[in-house]
Amino acid sequence: MVERSFYEPSVNGVERLPTALHVFYGSPRIMLASHWHAQVEVNYIVRGWAHYRMGGHEVTFSEGDIALFWGGQPHLLDDASDDVVYAGGHLPLVHFFRLRLPEDVQTRLMQGATLVSQATDATDPVNFARWRDYARSGDPMQASVAVDELLLRIERLRFSPYALLPDRTLQRDASGFDQHVSPIVVRICDYIGDNFREEIDSTDIAVAADIHPKYAMTVFRKCTGMTLADYVTLLRLSYAQALLMRDEANVLQVAMDSGFGSLSAFNKSFRKIAGMSPGDFRREVRTRPSVGTTPMVPPPTHVN
């Protein structure tokens, strides 16, 4: 029996950089509590299986599956095979809305559905390992190539069988996702990603995207299911999660550094998504069992 280790978000991990692509490759650790992040998550199961509890459903990813889901919903990896190895990434919305996917897929994912496909091959482990290395290289060009290649890999899913889980029709706008507004959403996400720690409102965002504020709010909500304020808050909370894990973290200072105008606003927003206060979250993290480093599994060096 392999001794279980537990997930603990890194201070310098994806939650600290909610607007950057984060790519991983290795053996996942069981989560002691649900977490969230302001990106779409991509999982590829190299070996074994992993079980997730999502916002409104459960799903098991098996060897060879590739999956996408919106990380803004609290999710929990609560069980996995002893030999599990997975690869994947956390894709910021500014890149997610560049994708050319079938009509309504973006809408369904943003509403909490999980896309799963078994249309994978022996090149996927090699590619995910390369994207991990590029994203962590510190070279902006390599990081950009990692994003572009990952987007192309995801777009290939439209040519293969896939399922959207749970298998039921989700409530949505009758017109679905309109690819013509995608560049607008990209501009909006880009501006918010650069400025979420500042005091910004819908007018600032609309001016940056060169559209009317009312149209900015309508387009963004139609495509993401969130208001502009919701998304700004989610980025701030993602950023705040990592700050709270620092030993010297002061809740008031975290609130200010994350872009919240007051401690009361921070406490209210944090409790709404985490189900606990920032102070309770910090104490819980500090009392969790210590975790060891799970060795990374080297990818194949060749493809037969």
Side-chain angles (χ1 to χ4, degrees):
M1 173 68 71
V2 176
E3 184 178 351
R4 290 294 193 191
S5 57
F6 300 97
Y7 169 81
E8 187 171 351
S10 167
V11 169
N12 296 312
V14 62
E15 292 84 0
R16 186 72 165 82
L17 299 170
T19 59
L21 173 68
H22 172 73
V23 184
F24 48 85
Y25 193 118
S27 298
R29 292 174 287 184
I30 301 302
M31 297 178 182
L32 295 176
S34 296
H35 82 144
W36 76 92
H37 47 80
Q39 305 95 351
V40 171
E41 184 160 342
V42 185
N43 277 190
Y44 170 68
I45 307 300
V46 180
R47 186 175 69 224
W49 57 268
H51 180 269
Y52 277 92
R53 293 183 182 272
M54 302 299 189
H57 63 285
E58 299 180 25
V59 60
T60 298
F61 303 144
S62 301
E63 184 171 324
D65 286 351
I66 190 167
L68 278 77
F69 58 89
W70 167 229
Q73 64 175 351
H75 53 281
L76 175 71
L77 194 162
D78 65 349
D79 198 9
S81 61
D82 291 338
D83 64 341
V84 65
V85 175
Y86 78 162
H90 291 196
L91 188 67
L93 287 191
V94 68
H95 301 310
F96 175 68
F97 281 105
R98 292 168 52 196
L99 287 168
R100 297 166 295 180
L101 289 174
E103 183 179 1
D104 289 344
V105 167
Q106 267 111 332
T107 303
R108 292 284 303 273
L109 289 173
M110 293 304 298
Q111 291 176 341
T114 300
L115 184 152
V116 184
S117 174
Q118 297 177 334
T120 57
D121 57 46
T123 64
D124 283 311
V126 177
N127 288 333
F128 274 104
R130 182 175 68 255
W131 300 332
R132 175 203 61 198
D133 293 342
Y134 280 12
R136 297 179 180 181
S137 68
D139 182 340
M141 176 61 77
Q142 289 194 30
S144 176
V145 169
V147 170
D148 291 341
E149 289 190 5
L150 178 57
L151 294 182
L152 288 172
R153 175 63 188 93
I154 295 171
E155 287 179 340
R156 279 172 42 203
L157 293 172
R158 70 178 300 145
F159 305 120
S160 307
Y162 62 85
L164 284 168
L165 306 174
D167 187 17
R168 63 174 183 267
T169 302
L170 299 181
Q171 186 68 33
R172 64 176 178 84
D173 187 293
S175 58
F177 177 76
D178 183 354
Q179 294 287 350
H180 295 293
V181 304
S182 182
I184 297 174
V185 178
V186 168
R187 293 200 300 270
I188 289 173
C189 290
D190 199 25
Y191 176 79
I192 295 175
D194 287 340
N195 297 278
F196 70 89
R197 295 174 61 199
E198 308 299 327
E199 187 176 341
I200 58 175
D201 58 23
S202 59
T203 300
D204 299 320
I205 296 167
V207 168
D210 196 26
I211 54 176
H212 190 277
K214 186 174 181 180
Y215 185 58
M217 291 185 286
T218 300
V219 165
F220 193 79
R221 183 155 196 166
K222 177 181 178 182
C223 294
T224 69
M226 294 182 287
T227 66
L228 292 172
D230 287 341
Y231 182 56
V232 171
T233 298
L234 184 60
L235 285 179
R236 289 172 175 169
L237 289 172
S238 294
Y239 187 84
Q241 280 188 97
L243 295 184
L244 287 168
M245 294 170 196
R246 295 177 180 271
D247 290 339
E248 73 278 11
N250 173 277
V251 174
L252 176 59
Q253 191 61 51
V254 168
M256 298 300 106
D257 290 347
S258 302
F260 289 92
S262 70
L263 182 59
S264 61
F266 178 48
N267 285 333
K268 181 178 180 180
S269 296
F270 198 95
R271 187 180 292 277
K272 182 177 180 181
I273 193 168
M276 65 181 75
S277 71
D280 288 342
F281 174 82
R282 184 182 58 178
R283 282 188 290 273
E284 180 184 284
V285 168
R286 291 179 177 178
T287 57
R288 287 174 185 172
S290 59
V291 297
T293 301
T294 302
M296 299 298 286
V297 177
T301 57
H302 68 278
V303 178
N304 294 326

PDB file of all heavy atoms in Angstrom, residues 246-276:
ATOM      1  N   ARG A 246       1.153  32.190   4.105  1.00  0.00           N
ATOM      2  CA  ARG A 246       2.444  32.651   4.616  1.00  0.00           C
ATOM      3  C   ARG A 246       2.388  32.747   6.149  1.00  0.00           C
ATOM      4  O   ARG A 246       1.386  33.174   6.715  1.00  0.00           O
ATOM      5  CB  ARG A 246       2.787  34.020   4.036  1.00  0.00           C
ATOM      6  CG  ARG A 246       2.998  34.018   2.532  1.00  0.00           C
ATOM      7  CD  ARG A 246       3.255  35.433   2.030  1.00  0.00           C
ATOM      8  NE  ARG A 246       3.458  35.463   0.595  1.00  0.00           N
ATOM      9  CZ  ARG A 246       4.630  35.313  -0.003  1.00  0.00           C
ATOM     10  NH1 ARG A 246       5.710  35.100   0.733  1.00  0.00           N
ATOM     11  NH2 ARG A 246       4.728  35.373  -1.311  1.00  0.00           N
ATOM     12  N   ASP A 247       3.459  32.379   6.810  1.00  0.00           N
ATOM     13  CA  ASP A 247       3.485  32.389   8.273  1.00  0.00           C
ATOM     14  C   ASP A 247       3.222  33.774   8.850  1.00  0.00           C
ATOM     15  O   ASP A 247       2.603  33.922   9.899  1.00  0.00           O
ATOM     16  CB  ASP A 247       4.838  31.878   8.783  1.00  0.00           C
ATOM     17  CG  ASP A 247       5.010  30.389   8.546  1.00  0.00           C
ATOM     18  OD1 ASP A 247       3.983  29.699   8.377  1.00  0.00           O
ATOM     19  OD2 ASP A 247       6.163  29.925   8.530  1.00  0.00           O
ATOM     20  N   GLU A 248       3.705  34.793   8.138  1.00  0.00           N
ATOM     21  CA  GLU A 248       3.570  36.150   8.654  1.00  0.00           C
ATOM     22  C   GLU A 248       2.289  36.833   8.186  1.00  0.00           C
ATOM     23  O   GLU A 248       2.094  38.031   8.430  1.00  0.00           O
ATOM     24  CB  GLU A 248       4.782  36.991   8.222  1.00  0.00           C
ATOM     25  CG  GLU A 248       4.810  37.375   6.750  1.00  0.00           C
ATOM     26  CD  GLU A 248       5.343  36.274   5.843  1.00  0.00           C
ATOM     27  OE1 GLU A 248       5.503  35.126   6.319  1.00  0.00           O
ATOM     28  OE2 GLU A 248       5.590  36.552   4.658  1.00  0.00           O
ATOM     29  N   ALA A 249       1.395  36.095   7.541  1.00  0.00           N
ATOM     30  CA  ALA A 249       0.207  36.693   6.944  1.00  0.00           C
ATOM     31  C   ALA A 249      -0.682  37.359   7.987  1.00  0.00           C
ATOM     32  O   ALA A 249      -1.018  36.771   9.011  1.00  0.00           O
ATOM     33  CB  ALA A 249      -0.590  35.633   6.195  1.00  0.00           C
ATOM     34  N   ASN A 250      -1.045  38.586   7.717  1.00  0.00           N
ATOM     35  CA  ASN A 250      -2.001  39.325   8.519  1.00  0.00           C
ATOM     36  C   ASN A 250      -3.257  39.491   7.685  1.00  0.00           C
ATOM     37  O   ASN A 250      -3.192  39.951   6.537  1.00  0.00           O
ATOM     38  CB  ASN A 250      -1.418  40.692   8.899  1.00  0.00           C
ATOM     39  CG  ASN A 250      -2.424  41.580   9.596  1.00  0.00           C
ATOM     40  OD1 ASN A 250      -3.238  42.241   8.955  1.00  0.00           O
ATOM     41  ND2 ASN A 250      -2.358  41.595  10.918  1.00  0.00           N
ATOM     42  N   VAL A 251      -4.410  39.086   8.209  1.00  0.00           N
ATOM     43  CA  VAL A 251      -5.629  39.050   7.410  1.00  0.00           C
ATOM     44  C   VAL A 251      -5.963  40.422   6.829  1.00  0.00           C
ATOM     45  O   VAL A 251      -6.342  40.535   5.661  1.00  0.00           O
ATOM     46  CB  VAL A 251      -6.811  38.502   8.238  1.00  0.00           C
ATOM     47  CG1 VAL A 251      -8.116  38.614   7.451  1.00  0.00           C
ATOM     48  CG2 VAL A 251      -6.559  37.044   8.619  1.00  0.00           C
ATOM     49  N   LEU A 252      -5.825  41.451   7.616  1.00  0.00           N
ATOM     50  CA  LEU A 252      -6.118  42.795   7.111  1.00  0.00           C
ATOM     51  C   LEU A 252      -5.187  43.166   5.968  1.00  0.00           C
ATOM     52  O   LEU A 252      -5.625  43.690   4.935  1.00  0.00           O
ATOM     53  CB  LEU A 252      -5.999  43.825   8.235  1.00  0.00           C
ATOM     54  CG  LEU A 252      -6.183  45.298   7.820  1.00  0.00           C
ATOM     55  CD1 LEU A 252      -7.549  45.515   7.194  1.00  0.00           C
ATOM     56  CD2 LEU A 252      -5.977  46.221   9.024  1.00  0.00           C
ATOM     57  N   GLN A 253      -3.894  42.857   6.125  1.00  0.00           N
ATOM     58  CA  GLN A 253      -2.934  43.187   5.070  1.00  0.00           C
ATOM     59  C   GLN A 253      -3.204  42.377   3.806  1.00  0.00           C
ATOM     60  O   GLN A 253      -3.088  42.880   2.682  1.00  0.00           O
ATOM     61  CB  GLN A 253      -1.505  42.929   5.549  1.00  0.00           C
ATOM     62  CG  GLN A 253      -0.436  43.499   4.618  1.00  0.00           C
ATOM     63  CD  GLN A 253      -0.543  45.005   4.484  1.00  0.00           C
ATOM     64  OE1 GLN A 253      -0.610  45.723   5.486  1.00  0.00           O
ATOM     65  NE2 GLN A 253      -0.583  45.506   3.253  1.00  0.00           N
ATOM     66  N   VAL A 254      -3.578  41.104   3.980  1.00  0.00           N
ATOM     67  CA  VAL A 254      -3.938  40.268   2.827  1.00  0.00           C
ATOM     68  C   VAL A 254      -5.117  40.866   2.080  1.00  0.00           C
ATOM     69  O   VAL A 254      -5.140  40.927   0.847  1.00  0.00           O
ATOM     70  CB  VAL A 254      -4.264  38.828   3.282  1.00  0.00           C
ATOM     71  CG1 VAL A 254      -4.930  38.031   2.150  1.00  0.00           C
ATOM     72  CG2 VAL A 254      -2.992  38.124   3.742  1.00  0.00           C
ATOM     73  N   ALA A 255      -6.120  41.318   2.822  1.00  0.00           N
ATOM     74  CA  ALA A 255      -7.293  41.937   2.198  1.00  0.00           C
ATOM     75  C   ALA A 255      -6.897  43.141   1.360  1.00  0.00           C
ATOM     76  O   ALA A 255      -7.338  43.303   0.208  1.00  0.00           O
ATOM     77  CB  ALA A 255      -8.305  42.343   3.273  1.00  0.00           C
ATOM     78  N   MET A 256      -6.039  43.985   1.908  1.00  0.00           N
ATOM     79  CA  MET A 256      -5.615  45.191   1.191  1.00  0.00           C
ATOM     80  C   MET A 256      -4.743  44.836  -0.016  1.00  0.00           C
ATOM     81  O   MET A 256      -4.921  45.372  -1.111  1.00  0.00           O
ATOM     82  CB  MET A 256      -4.847  46.120   2.129  1.00  0.00           C
ATOM     83  CG  MET A 256      -5.649  46.635   3.318  1.00  0.00           C
ATOM     84  SD  MET A 256      -7.126  47.600   2.838  1.00  0.00           S
ATOM     85  CE  MET A 256      -8.431  46.393   3.213  1.00  0.00           C
ATOM     86  N   ASP A 257      -3.806  43.905   0.170  1.00  0.00           N
ATOM     87  CA  ASP A 257      -2.894  43.533  -0.906  1.00  0.00           C
ATOM     88  C   ASP A 257      -3.605  42.825  -2.052  1.00  0.00           C
ATOM     89  O   ASP A 257      -3.128  42.836  -3.190  1.00  0.00           O
ATOM     90  CB  ASP A 257      -1.777  42.629  -0.379  1.00  0.00           C
ATOM     91  CG  ASP A 257      -0.803  43.366   0.514  1.00  0.00           C
ATOM     92  OD1 ASP A 257      -0.841  44.619   0.527  1.00  0.00           O
ATOM     93  OD2 ASP A 257      -0.005  42.696   1.202  1.00  0.00           O
ATOM     94  N   SER A 258      -4.741  42.196  -1.753  1.00  0.00           N
ATOM     95  CA  SER A 258      -5.487  41.460  -2.776  1.00  0.00           C
ATOM     96  C   SER A 258      -6.478  42.335  -3.527  1.00  0.00           C
ATOM     97  O   SER A 258      -7.113  41.861  -4.477  1.00  0.00           O
ATOM     98  CB  SER A 258      -6.236  40.284  -2.131  1.00  0.00           C
ATOM     99  OG  SER A 258      -5.337  39.421  -1.476  1.00  0.00           O
ATOM    100  N   GLY A 259      -6.634  43.577  -3.099  1.00  0.00           N
ATOM    101  CA  GLY A 259      -7.494  44.500  -3.838  1.00  0.00           C
ATOM    102  C   GLY A 259      -8.834  44.775  -3.201  1.00  0.00           C
ATOM    103  O   GLY A 259      -9.662  45.486  -3.788  1.00  0.00           O
ATOM    104  N   PHE A 260      -9.080  44.221  -2.005  1.00  0.00           N
ATOM    105  CA  PHE A 260     -10.347  44.489  -1.326  1.00  0.00           C
ATOM    106  C   PHE A 260     -10.267  45.840  -0.597  1.00  0.00           C
ATOM    107  O   PHE A 260      -9.253  46.164   0.003  1.00  0.00           O
ATOM    108  CB  PHE A 260     -10.683  43.370  -0.336  1.00  0.00           C
ATOM    109  CG  PHE A 260     -11.072  42.088  -0.997  1.00  0.00           C
ATOM    110  CD1 PHE A 260     -10.112  41.124  -1.278  1.00  0.00           C
ATOM    111  CD2 PHE A 260     -12.384  41.842  -1.376  1.00  0.00           C
ATOM    112  CE1 PHE A 260     -10.458  39.930  -1.906  1.00  0.00           C
ATOM    113  CE2 PHE A 260     -12.742  40.661  -2.008  1.00  0.00           C
ATOM    114  CZ  PHE A 260     -11.779  39.705  -2.280  1.00  0.00           C
ATOM    115  N   GLY A 261     -11.335  46.574  -0.657  1.00  0.00           N
ATOM    116  CA  GLY A 261     -11.341  47.902  -0.064  1.00  0.00           C
ATOM    117  C   GLY A 261     -11.518  47.912   1.431  1.00  0.00           C
ATOM    118  O   GLY A 261     -11.247  48.930   2.083  1.00  0.00           O
ATOM    119  N   SER A 262     -11.975  46.786   1.985  1.00  0.00           N
ATOM    120  CA  SER A 262     -12.196  46.728   3.429  1.00  0.00           C
ATOM    121  C   SER A 262     -12.101  45.289   3.905  1.00  0.00           C
ATOM    122  O   SER A 262     -12.274  44.341   3.127  1.00  0.00           O
ATOM    123  CB  SER A 262     -13.574  47.296   3.791  1.00  0.00           C
ATOM    124  OG  SER A 262     -14.604  46.430   3.340  1.00  0.00           O
ATOM    125  N   LEU A 263     -11.852  45.136   5.183  1.00  0.00           N
ATOM    126  CA  LEU A 263     -11.777  43.803   5.770  1.00  0.00           C
ATOM    127  C   LEU A 263     -13.141  43.127   5.748  1.00  0.00           C
ATOM    128  O   LEU A 263     -13.242  41.912   5.517  1.00  0.00           O
ATOM    129  CB  LEU A 263     -11.254  43.897   7.202  1.00  0.00           C
ATOM    130  CG  LEU A 263     -11.070  42.574   7.953  1.00  0.00           C
ATOM    131  CD1 LEU A 263     -10.101  41.662   7.210  1.00  0.00           C
ATOM    132  CD2 LEU A 263     -10.585  42.838   9.376  1.00  0.00           C
ATOM    133  N   SER A 264     -14.204  43.889   5.963  1.00  0.00           N
ATOM    134  CA  SER A 264     -15.546  43.296   5.970  1.00  0.00           C
ATOM    135  C   SER A 264     -15.913  42.748   4.599  1.00  0.00           C
ATOM    136  O   SER A 264     -16.510  41.669   4.496  1.00  0.00           O
ATOM    137  CB  SER A 264     -16.580  44.330   6.429  1.00  0.00           C
ATOM    138  OG  SER A 264     -16.606  45.439   5.559  1.00  0.00           O
ATOM    139  N   ALA A 265     -15.566  43.466   3.524  1.00  0.00           N
ATOM    140  CA  ALA A 265     -15.844  42.988   2.165  1.00  0.00           C
ATOM    141  C   ALA A 265     -15.054  41.713   1.879  1.00  0.00           C
ATOM    142  O   ALA A 265     -15.568  40.772   1.256  1.00  0.00           O
ATOM    143  CB  ALA A 265     -15.505  44.070   1.146  1.00  0.00           C
ATOM    144  N   PHE A 266     -13.800  41.680   2.339  1.00  0.00           N
ATOM    145  CA  PHE A 266     -12.962  40.492   2.150  1.00  0.00           C
ATOM    146  C   PHE A 266     -13.545  39.292   2.892  1.00  0.00           C
ATOM    147  O   PHE A 266     -13.682  38.195   2.330  1.00  0.00           O
ATOM    148  CB  PHE A 266     -11.554  40.796   2.637  1.00  0.00           C
ATOM    149  CG  PHE A 266     -10.600  39.627   2.548  1.00  0.00           C
ATOM    150  CD1 PHE A 266     -10.492  38.874   1.402  1.00  0.00           C
ATOM    151  CD2 PHE A 266      -9.797  39.299   3.636  1.00  0.00           C
ATOM    152  CE1 PHE A 266      -9.606  37.806   1.312  1.00  0.00           C
ATOM    153  CE2 PHE A 266      -8.894  38.239   3.564  1.00  0.00           C
ATOM    154  CZ  PHE A 266      -8.814  37.496   2.397  1.00  0.00           C
ATOM    155  N   ASN A 267     -13.903  39.490   4.158  1.00  0.00           N
ATOM    156  CA  ASN A 267     -14.465  38.391   4.951  1.00  0.00           C
ATOM    157  C   ASN A 267     -15.740  37.843   4.324  1.00  0.00           C
ATOM    158  O   ASN A 267     -15.941  36.628   4.247  1.00  0.00           O
ATOM    159  CB  ASN A 267     -14.766  38.876   6.368  1.00  0.00           C
ATOM    160  CG  ASN A 267     -13.513  39.023   7.213  1.00  0.00           C
ATOM    161  OD1 ASN A 267     -12.518  38.347   6.971  1.00  0.00           O
ATOM    162  ND2 ASN A 267     -13.551  39.909   8.193  1.00  0.00           N
ATOM    163  N   LYS A 268     -16.610  38.734   3.857  1.00  0.00           N
ATOM    164  CA  LYS A 268     -17.882  38.314   3.267  1.00  0.00           C
ATOM    165  C   LYS A 268     -17.656  37.514   1.989  1.00  0.00           C
ATOM    166  O   LYS A 268     -18.263  36.452   1.785  1.00  0.00           O
ATOM    167  CB  LYS A 268     -18.742  39.540   2.977  1.00  0.00           C
ATOM    168  CG  LYS A 268     -20.108  39.206   2.389  1.00  0.00           C
ATOM    169  CD  LYS A 268     -20.929  40.478   2.169  1.00  0.00           C
ATOM    170  CE  LYS A 268     -22.298  40.140   1.565  1.00  0.00           C
ATOM    171  NZ  LYS A 268     -23.092  41.381   1.341  1.00  0.00           N
ATOM    172  N   SER A 269     -16.783  38.001   1.118  1.00  0.00           N
ATOM    173  CA  SER A 269     -16.517  37.318  -0.151  1.00  0.00           C
ATOM    174  C   SER A 269     -15.820  35.986   0.082  1.00  0.00           C
ATOM    175  O   SER A 269     -16.146  34.983  -0.567  1.00  0.00           O
ATOM    176  CB  SER A 269     -15.646  38.201  -1.047  1.00  0.00           C
ATOM    177  OG  SER A 269     -16.319  39.387  -1.403  1.00  0.00           O
ATOM    178  N   PHE A 270     -14.861  35.950   0.994  1.00  0.00           N
ATOM    179  CA  PHE A 270     -14.116  34.725   1.264  1.00  0.00           C
ATOM    180  C   PHE A 270     -15.032  33.656   1.845  1.00  0.00           C
ATOM    181  O   PHE A 270     -14.994  32.498   1.440  1.00  0.00           O
ATOM    182  CB  PHE A 270     -12.957  35.008   2.220  1.00  0.00           C
ATOM    183  CG  PHE A 270     -11.901  33.949   2.212  1.00  0.00           C
ATOM    184  CD1 PHE A 270     -10.780  34.083   1.422  1.00  0.00           C
ATOM    185  CD2 PHE A 270     -12.024  32.809   3.007  1.00  0.00           C
ATOM    186  CE1 PHE A 270      -9.798  33.099   1.399  1.00  0.00           C
ATOM    187  CE2 PHE A 270     -11.063  31.820   2.997  1.00  0.00           C
ATOM    188  CZ  PHE A 270      -9.934  31.960   2.189  1.00  0.00           C
ATOM    189  N   ARG A 271     -15.871  34.056   2.801  1.00  0.00           N
ATOM    190  CA  ARG A 271     -16.778  33.100   3.427  1.00  0.00           C
ATOM    191  C   ARG A 271     -17.778  32.528   2.413  1.00  0.00           C
ATOM    192  O   ARG A 271     -18.155  31.357   2.489  1.00  0.00           O
ATOM    193  CB  ARG A 271     -17.528  33.760   4.585  1.00  0.00           C
ATOM    194  CG  ARG A 271     -18.370  32.802   5.409  1.00  0.00           C
ATOM    195  CD  ARG A 271     -19.085  33.537   6.535  1.00  0.00           C
ATOM    196  NE  ARG A 271     -18.157  34.031   7.540  1.00  0.00           N
ATOM    197  CZ  ARG A 271     -17.694  33.282   8.530  1.00  0.00           C
ATOM    198  NH1 ARG A 271     -18.060  32.012   8.638  1.00  0.00           N
ATOM    199  NH2 ARG A 271     -16.872  33.796   9.425  1.00  0.00           N
ATOM    200  N   LYS A 272     -18.195  33.362   1.464  1.00  0.00           N
ATOM    201  CA  LYS A 272     -19.181  32.930   0.480  1.00  0.00           C
ATOM    202  C   LYS A 272     -18.665  31.772  -0.360  1.00  0.00           C
ATOM    203  O   LYS A 272     -19.400  30.825  -0.654  1.00  0.00           O
ATOM    204  CB  LYS A 272     -19.563  34.105  -0.425  1.00  0.00           C
ATOM    205  CG  LYS A 272     -20.617  33.770  -1.466  1.00  0.00           C
ATOM    206  CD  LYS A 272     -20.999  35.013  -2.268  1.00  0.00           C
ATOM    207  CE  LYS A 272     -22.066  34.664  -3.312  1.00  0.00           C
ATOM    208  NZ  LYS A 272     -22.441  35.862  -4.117  1.00  0.00           N
ATOM    209  N   ILE A 273     -17.383  31.817  -0.766  1.00  0.00           N
ATOM    210  CA  ILE A 273     -16.868  30.759  -1.630  1.00  0.00           C
ATOM    211  C   ILE A 273     -16.183  29.641  -0.847  1.00  0.00           C
ATOM    212  O   ILE A 273     -16.239  28.480  -1.239  1.00  0.00           O
ATOM    213  CB  ILE A 273     -15.895  31.332  -2.685  1.00  0.00           C
ATOM    214  CG1 ILE A 273     -15.613  30.284  -3.768  1.00  0.00           C
ATOM    215  CG2 ILE A 273     -14.610  31.828  -2.060  1.00  0.00           C
ATOM    216  CD1 ILE A 273     -14.900  30.841  -4.979  1.00  0.00           C
ATOM    217  N   ALA A 274     -15.549  29.970   0.286  1.00  0.00           N
ATOM    218  CA  ALA A 274     -14.800  28.961   1.042  1.00  0.00           C
ATOM    219  C   ALA A 274     -15.614  28.324   2.153  1.00  0.00           C
ATOM    220  O   ALA A 274     -15.247  27.265   2.658  1.00  0.00           O
ATOM    221  CB  ALA A 274     -13.533  29.582   1.630  1.00  0.00           C
ATOM    222  N   GLY A 275     -16.716  28.967   2.563  1.00  0.00           N
ATOM    223  CA  GLY A 275     -17.520  28.425   3.647  1.00  0.00           C
ATOM    224  C   GLY A 275     -16.907  28.658   5.012  1.00  0.00           C
ATOM    225  O   GLY A 275     -17.344  28.057   5.999  1.00  0.00           O
ATOM    226  N   MET A 276     -15.893  29.499   5.088  1.00  0.00           N
ATOM    227  CA  MET A 276     -15.251  29.824   6.359  1.00  0.00           C
ATOM    228  C   MET A 276     -14.601  31.198   6.237  1.00  0.00           C
ATOM    229  O   MET A 276     -14.450  31.724   5.139  1.00  0.00           O
ATOM    230  CB  MET A 276     -14.190  28.775   6.722  1.00  0.00           C
ATOM    231  CG  MET A 276     -13.016  28.720   5.765  1.00  0.00           C
ATOM    232  SD  MET A 276     -11.799  27.442   6.219  1.00  0.00           S
ATOM    233  CE  MET A 276     -12.680  25.970   5.685  1.00  0.00           C
TER     234      MET A 276
END
